[in-house]
Amino acid sequence: MEDTEPLVAVRPEERAPSSRWSAAKQSPESKMVEDFRRRLKYFFMNPCEKYRARGRKPWKLMLQILKIAIITIQLVSFGLSNEMMVTFKDENLVTFKHLFLKGYTDQRLGQYALYTKRDVYDHIHYIINRYITLQNLTVGNHAYERAGGVYTPLSVCQEFYRNGSISPGNETFDIDPHIEKGTKRTLILDPWYLWKMNHVPPADKMFFVSRLLSVNIYLTLKAINLQTVRHHELPDCYDFQIMIVFDNRAHSGRIKVDVDNDVSIYESGKNDHRLLLFDSLVILACFTSLILCTRSIINGIQLQFYNIFFHAYYNKIVSWSDRMEFVNGWYILIIVSDTLTIAGSALKIGIQTKYLTNYDVCSILLGTATMLVWVGVIRYLGFFKKYNILILTLRAAFPNVIRFSCCAAMIYLGYCFCGWIVLGPYHDKFRTLDKVTECLFSLINGDDMYSTFQKMRAKSYMVWLFSRLYLYSFISLFMYMVLSLFIALITDTYETIKHHQQDKAPVSHLHAFIAECRDQPESGRYQTEEEKASCCSFPCCCFT
């Protein structure tokens, strides 16, 4: 099919002597074609034009504007609450490091580590003693956990190889790779039993350092987050399950020590019904929007079957790209956003009622949904011709950009693997494969170039010389060639779209067929008596 050839060729016997056809002179077939063309034109109208054509209020448009407001308010409310929780959790983690790690400082460079047996034993006893005297040390509102009137004990657990003897001097070893977990040694914190601390076995008799993999110390503390009081809300209760890990899996003579905590948040007796009602309103609005957008997509899919009409009457086959015009991608975006918002709001209600504490999943759902909602605003800016060129450019350039990115990715991955295997032993930024990808992506954007060159160790002149050739070739190839071609692809598409808009040439055969309909939205020809009756009989169909 030629670009200038119309989608539907009018039969010679149906041509009128004048360019303007009279309704009285139209044959039934030509009237059917005009009605169908008018229906297609109405389908691709924006909400304002549909309102002028049939007087139907743009309910979906108004609903989307309402959704943008309430979803943003919901996200900000959840973000402020989440911010207080994360701040309280992170500050307590720093507190626990200062309380239980001997000589810990905030300005410490590198990971906290131990290098002698004596340091390992001393640190374990130091943690136990600090835990016993915690109430006299901490400036926070930390307390021991009680379950059934009994204090939750501190537990020490070790992991080690089942059997083994190592003799580096003789270059001999005998290791059983099976890993065993030693029996947990618990410390009961009831004052009646504190005297037992004097009878705790020496640490050098507790641990088999030569085949030791790790020592894990588990303890539980309770705290109350008082930050919400100044917002006139009741505070939340927190349970911190703290784990202090002595990691010796590398057996390099360096035992790394780390502190981690898992938090459980318990109901403090509050339940803000206004927030629950607001979240329910968000769910209702998104569910309504989901139904309306799904209905619009179904209507578009039904119009796709009119390719049978073209084939039967004019022996024309509608191309796949023209058929996909009926599937509105913005509606799919809104459906995805509504689904994520409904799921995220349900989780948020569970968090507020303290039945759930999974902030991360809720944050991902609500954050992604809000991002998609705001991206959907571009659709409404597209109703204005000056803004619409951005949307048309992105849509037209997307296939070429994807193909170009796939080709560039092959070169990028080649550089990643090469840098990892060659420069990894000599450069911290190339030590692992994920660090290599991050470093090279930063170099493409012009970040951290000088430090990447300078941090290369000059222990091997050959590797140092290779690193210079590697970095110079990568930067030159991707910054000066790949990025330039990438920009040229988008620029060329922009110029093509701009040319079409200036010449007012249809960009597809479908739009060329629709453009033959000269009826304006205000002409009153978009609503027949039959359509008026059906609209009155089925009010739900009036949603556009």
Side-chain angles (χ1 to χ4, degrees), residues 322-342:
D322 284 341
R323 293 177 63 183
M324 291 306 296
E325 291 278 348
F326 294 98
V327 181
N328 195 322
W330 294 110
Y331 289 152
I332 297 176
L333 183 73
I334 293 173
I335 289 175
V336 174
S337 172
D338 290 337
T339 304
L340 295 177
T341 304
I342 292 172

Side-chain angles (χ1 to χ4, degrees), residues 10 46 85-86 123 142 157-158 178 187 218 230 258 267 276 290 305-306 316 328 377 379 410 453 471 499 513 515:
V10 181
N46 62 52
M85 184 275 296
V86 171
H123 274 73
H142 300 102
C157 180
Q158 59 175 325
H178 294 88
L187 176 66
Y218 302 93
R230 63 176 179 266
D258 193 18
E267 188 173 359
L276 297 179
L290 189 147
F305 292 105
Y306 277 90
K316 299 287 184 179
N328 195 322
V377 175
R379 172 178 181 254
M410 300 300 104
F453 278 94
L471 292 175
H499 173 72
F513 171 72

Side-chain angles (χ1 to χ4, degrees), residues 381-393 501:
L381 294 178
F383 296 153
F384 306 95
K385 291 184 178 180
K386 292 184 178 180
Y387 295 98
N388 190 40
I389 191 170
L390 171 63
I391 303 172
L392 295 177
T393 302
Q501 284 194 337

Side-chain angles (χ1 to χ4, degrees), residues 163-182:
N163 291 304
S165 61
I166 303 174
S167 180
N170 299 330
E171 298 182 354
T172 60
F173 64 91
D174 182 17
I175 288 289
D176 185 348
H178 294 88
I179 298 175
E180 289 187 350
K181 291 187 178 181

Side-chain angles (χ1 to χ4, degrees), residues 202-462:
D204 55 352
K205 295 181 180 179
M206 294 169 59
F207 307 114
F208 312 97
V209 177
S210 61
R211 50 194 175 96
L212 180 69
L213 292 174
S214 67
V215 177
N216 302 326
I217 300 178
Y218 302 93
L219 50 99
T220 303
L221 295 176
K222 299 179 73 69
I224 299 177
N225 186 0
L226 299 177
Q227 295 183 83
T228 57
V229 173
R230 63 176 179 266
H231 299 290
H232 306 288
E233 296 181 5
L234 293 176
D236 291 324
C237 300
Y238 287 70
D239 275 10
F240 292 97
Q241 288 82 34
I242 305 167
M243 182 175 66
I244 304 173
V245 180
F246 295 76
D247 186 4
N248 190 40
R249 296 181 183 276
H251 285 88
S252 60
R254 182 173 184 260
I255 296 181
K256 293 169 286 193
V257 185
D258 193 18
V259 179
D260 195 10
N261 66 341
D262 191 16
V263 181
S264 299
I265 305 174
Y266 293 94
E267 188 173 359
S268 58
K270 69 174 183 179
N271 212 351
D272 195 336
H273 296 285
R274 291 175 299 179
L275 285 177
L276 297 179
L277 183 62
F278 184 79
D279 292 333
S280 301
L281 174 64
V282 172
I283 293 177
L284 179 62
C286 291
F287 186 72
T288 305
S289 171
L290 189 147
I291 293 176
L292 294 178
C293 291
T294 303
R295 172 186 170 274
S296 297
I297 288 181
I298 292 174
N299 289 340
I301 293 175
Q302 289 175 347
L303 283 176
Q304 282 187 339
F305 292 105
Y306 277 90
N307 67 85
I308 302 174
F309 172 86
F310 291 124
H311 182 71
Y313 279 84
Y314 301 102
N315 199 24
K316 299 287 184 179
I317 298 178
V318 181
S319 65
W320 179 255
S321 59
D322 284 341
R323 293 177 63 183
M324 291 306 296
E325 291 278 348
F326 294 98
V327 181
N328 195 322
W330 294 110
Y331 289 152
I332 297 176
L333 183 73
I334 293 173
I335 289 175
V336 174
S337 172
D338 290 337
T339 304
L340 295 177
T341 304
I342 292 172
S345 299
L347 283 178
K348 183 173 180 288
I349 292 176
I351 291 173
Q352 289 172 349
T353 55
K354 301 301 180 291
Y355 289 107
L356 299 172
T357 58
N358 200 332
Y359 279 83
D360 293 337
V361 176
C362 184
S363 300
I364 292 173
L365 292 175
L366 291 181
T368 306
T370 306
M371 178 187 69
L372 296 179
V373 166
W374 280 96
V375 169
V377 175
I378 300 177
R379 172 178 181 254
Y380 302 108
L381 294 178
F383 296 153
F384 306 95
K385 291 184 178 180
K386 292 184 178 180
Y387 295 98
N388 190 40
I389 191 170
L390 171 63
I391 303 172
L392 295 177
T393 302
L394 292 175
R395 184 172 64 180
F398 184 74
N400 291 331
V401 168
I402 292 298
R403 287 190 286 268
F404 180 82
S405 299
C406 291
C407 296
M410 300 300 104
I411 306 175
Y412 184 80
L413 289 175
Y415 270 91
C416 287
F417 288 117
C418 178
W420 175 45
I421 199 66
V422 178
L423 305 182
Y426 302 93
H427 202 300
D428 293 338
K429 293 184 178 180
F430 293 83
R431 189 62 49 82
T432 60
L433 192 57
D434 59 329
K435 287 184 178 180
V436 176
T437 57
E438 295 168 0
C439 177
L440 293 183
F441 188 78
S442 299
L443 291 176
I444 293 176
N445 293 278
D447 297 335
D448 214 18
M449 284 190 181
Y450 182 74
S451 62
T452 303
F453 278 94
Q454 289 298 110
K455 288 182 180 179
M456 183 63 200
R457 302 173 188 173
K459 291 184 178 180
S460 172
Y461 179 76
M462 182 182 299

Side-chain angles (χ1 to χ4, degrees), residues 54 56 527 530-542:
R54 294 188 178 179
R56 297 180 180 180
Q527 186 170 2
E530 180 181 354
E531 289 172 331
K532 290 179 181 179
S534 63
C535 182
C536 297
S537 302
F538 304 99
C540 62
C541 297
C542 296

